[in-house]
Short mmCIF file of all heavy atoms in Angstrom, two decimals:
data_model
loop_
_atom_site.label_atom_id
_atom_site.label_comp_id
_atom_site.label_asym_id
_atom_site.label_seq_id
_atom_site.Cartn_x
_atom_site.Cartn_y
_atom_site.Cartn_z
N LYS A 79 -28.83 0.65 28.40
CA LYS A 79 -28.62 0.42 26.97
C LYS A 79 -27.76 1.54 26.37
O LYS A 79 -26.90 1.28 25.52
CB LYS A 79 -29.96 0.31 26.24
CG LYS A 79 -30.68 -1.00 26.53
CD LYS A 79 -32.04 -1.04 25.88
CE LYS A 79 -32.76 -2.33 26.25
NZ LYS A 79 -34.13 -2.37 25.75
N PHE A 80 -27.99 2.77 26.82
CA PHE A 80 -27.20 3.91 26.36
C PHE A 80 -25.75 3.76 26.81
O PHE A 80 -24.82 4.04 26.04
CB PHE A 80 -27.82 5.22 26.87
CG PHE A 80 -27.18 6.46 26.32
CD1 PHE A 80 -26.84 6.58 24.98
CD2 PHE A 80 -26.93 7.53 27.16
CE1 PHE A 80 -26.25 7.74 24.48
CE2 PHE A 80 -26.34 8.70 26.68
CZ PHE A 80 -26.00 8.80 25.34
N ALA A 81 -25.53 3.29 28.05
CA ALA A 81 -24.16 3.08 28.55
C ALA A 81 -23.44 2.03 27.72
O ALA A 81 -22.25 2.19 27.40
CB ALA A 81 -24.20 2.68 30.03
N ILE A 82 -24.13 0.97 27.34
CA ILE A 82 -23.52 -0.06 26.49
C ILE A 82 -23.18 0.53 25.12
O ILE A 82 -22.08 0.31 24.61
CB ILE A 82 -24.46 -1.29 26.37
CG1 ILE A 82 -24.54 -2.03 27.71
CG2 ILE A 82 -23.99 -2.23 25.25
CD1 ILE A 82 -25.62 -3.10 27.78
N LEU A 83 -24.10 1.29 24.55
CA LEU A 83 -23.84 1.95 23.27
C LEU A 83 -22.63 2.88 23.36
O LEU A 83 -21.75 2.87 22.48
CB LEU A 83 -25.08 2.72 22.80
CG LEU A 83 -24.91 3.53 21.51
CD1 LEU A 83 -24.64 2.61 20.32
CD2 LEU A 83 -26.14 4.39 21.27
N LEU A 84 -22.56 3.67 24.42
CA LEU A 84 -21.42 4.57 24.62
C LEU A 84 -20.12 3.78 24.71
O LEU A 84 -19.10 4.20 24.14
CB LEU A 84 -21.61 5.42 25.87
CG LEU A 84 -22.65 6.53 25.78
CD1 LEU A 84 -22.91 7.12 27.17
CD2 LEU A 84 -22.22 7.62 24.80
N SER A 85 -20.14 2.66 25.40
CA SER A 85 -18.93 1.84 25.52
C SER A 85 -18.50 1.29 24.16
O SER A 85 -17.30 1.22 23.87
CB SER A 85 -19.15 0.70 26.51
OG SER A 85 -19.28 1.22 27.81
N LEU A 86 -19.45 0.92 23.34
CA LEU A 86 -19.13 0.44 21.99
C LEU A 86 -18.56 1.58 21.13
O LEU A 86 -17.59 1.37 20.39
CB LEU A 86 -20.37 -0.16 21.32
CG LEU A 86 -20.86 -1.48 21.92
CD1 LEU A 86 -22.21 -1.86 21.32
CD2 LEU A 86 -19.84 -2.58 21.70
N ILE A 87 -19.16 2.75 21.24
CA ILE A 87 -18.65 3.92 20.50
C ILE A 87 -17.23 4.23 20.95
O ILE A 87 -16.34 4.48 20.12
CB ILE A 87 -19.59 5.13 20.70
CG1 ILE A 87 -20.92 4.89 19.98
CG2 ILE A 87 -18.92 6.43 20.23
CD1 ILE A 87 -22.01 5.89 20.33
N PHE A 88 -17.00 4.21 22.26
CA PHE A 88 -15.65 4.43 22.78
C PHE A 88 -14.68 3.43 22.16
O PHE A 88 -13.61 3.80 21.68
CB PHE A 88 -15.61 4.29 24.32
CG PHE A 88 -14.22 4.09 24.82
CD1 PHE A 88 -13.38 5.16 25.01
CD2 PHE A 88 -13.72 2.80 25.05
CE1 PHE A 88 -12.06 4.97 25.43
CE2 PHE A 88 -12.42 2.60 25.46
CZ PHE A 88 -11.58 3.69 25.65
N LEU A 89 -15.04 2.16 22.19
CA LEU A 89 -14.15 1.11 21.71
C LEU A 89 -13.79 1.31 20.24
O LEU A 89 -12.62 1.19 19.85
CB LEU A 89 -14.79 -0.26 21.93
CG LEU A 89 -13.91 -1.46 21.64
CD1 LEU A 89 -12.65 -1.45 22.51
CD2 LEU A 89 -14.70 -2.75 21.87
N VAL A 90 -14.76 1.65 19.41
CA VAL A 90 -14.51 1.87 17.98
C VAL A 90 -13.55 3.05 17.80
O VAL A 90 -12.57 2.96 17.04
CB VAL A 90 -15.83 2.10 17.22
CG1 VAL A 90 -15.58 2.63 15.81
CG2 VAL A 90 -16.65 0.81 17.18
N MET A 91 -13.78 4.15 18.50
CA MET A 91 -12.91 5.32 18.38
C MET A 91 -11.51 5.03 18.91
O MET A 91 -10.51 5.44 18.31
CB MET A 91 -13.50 6.53 19.11
CG MET A 91 -14.67 7.15 18.40
SD MET A 91 -15.17 8.72 19.11
CE MET A 91 -15.82 8.20 20.67
N TYR A 92 -11.43 4.32 20.02
CA TYR A 92 -10.15 3.98 20.63
C TYR A 92 -9.30 3.14 19.68
O TYR A 92 -8.12 3.41 19.46
CB TYR A 92 -10.41 3.23 21.95
CG TYR A 92 -9.17 2.89 22.72
CD1 TYR A 92 -8.49 3.87 23.45
CD2 TYR A 92 -8.67 1.59 22.73
CE1 TYR A 92 -7.34 3.55 24.18
CE2 TYR A 92 -7.53 1.27 23.45
CZ TYR A 92 -6.88 2.25 24.18
OH TYR A 92 -5.75 1.94 24.88
N VAL A 93 -9.91 2.12 19.09
CA VAL A 93 -9.20 1.25 18.16
C VAL A 93 -8.82 2.05 16.91
O VAL A 93 -7.69 1.95 16.42
CB VAL A 93 -10.04 0.01 17.81
CG1 VAL A 93 -9.44 -0.76 16.64
CG2 VAL A 93 -10.17 -0.90 19.04
N ALA A 94 -9.74 2.86 16.39
CA ALA A 94 -9.45 3.67 15.19
C ALA A 94 -8.25 4.59 15.44
O ALA A 94 -7.37 4.71 14.59
CB ALA A 94 -10.67 4.49 14.79
N TYR A 95 -8.22 5.22 16.60
CA TYR A 95 -7.09 6.10 16.93
C TYR A 95 -5.78 5.33 16.96
O TYR A 95 -4.78 5.76 16.38
CB TYR A 95 -7.33 6.80 18.27
CG TYR A 95 -6.13 7.61 18.70
CD1 TYR A 95 -5.83 8.82 18.09
CD2 TYR A 95 -5.27 7.14 19.69
CE1 TYR A 95 -4.71 9.55 18.45
CE2 TYR A 95 -4.15 7.87 20.06
CZ TYR A 95 -3.87 9.07 19.44
OH TYR A 95 -2.76 9.79 19.80
N HIS A 96 -5.79 4.19 17.64
CA HIS A 96 -4.54 3.44 17.80
C HIS A 96 -4.11 2.73 16.51
O HIS A 96 -2.94 2.38 16.37
CB HIS A 96 -4.63 2.48 18.98
CG HIS A 96 -4.50 3.21 20.28
ND1 HIS A 96 -3.29 3.63 20.78
CD2 HIS A 96 -5.44 3.64 21.15
CE1 HIS A 96 -3.48 4.28 21.92
NE2 HIS A 96 -4.78 4.30 22.16
#
Side-chain angles (χ1 to χ4, degrees):
K79 287 176 183 175
F80 187 43
I82 291 169
L83 176 64
L84 287 170
S85 292
L86 291 171
I87 291 168
F88 162 82
L89 188 59
V90 168
M91 286 190 291
Y92 183 76
V93 169
Y95 174 75
H96 285 281

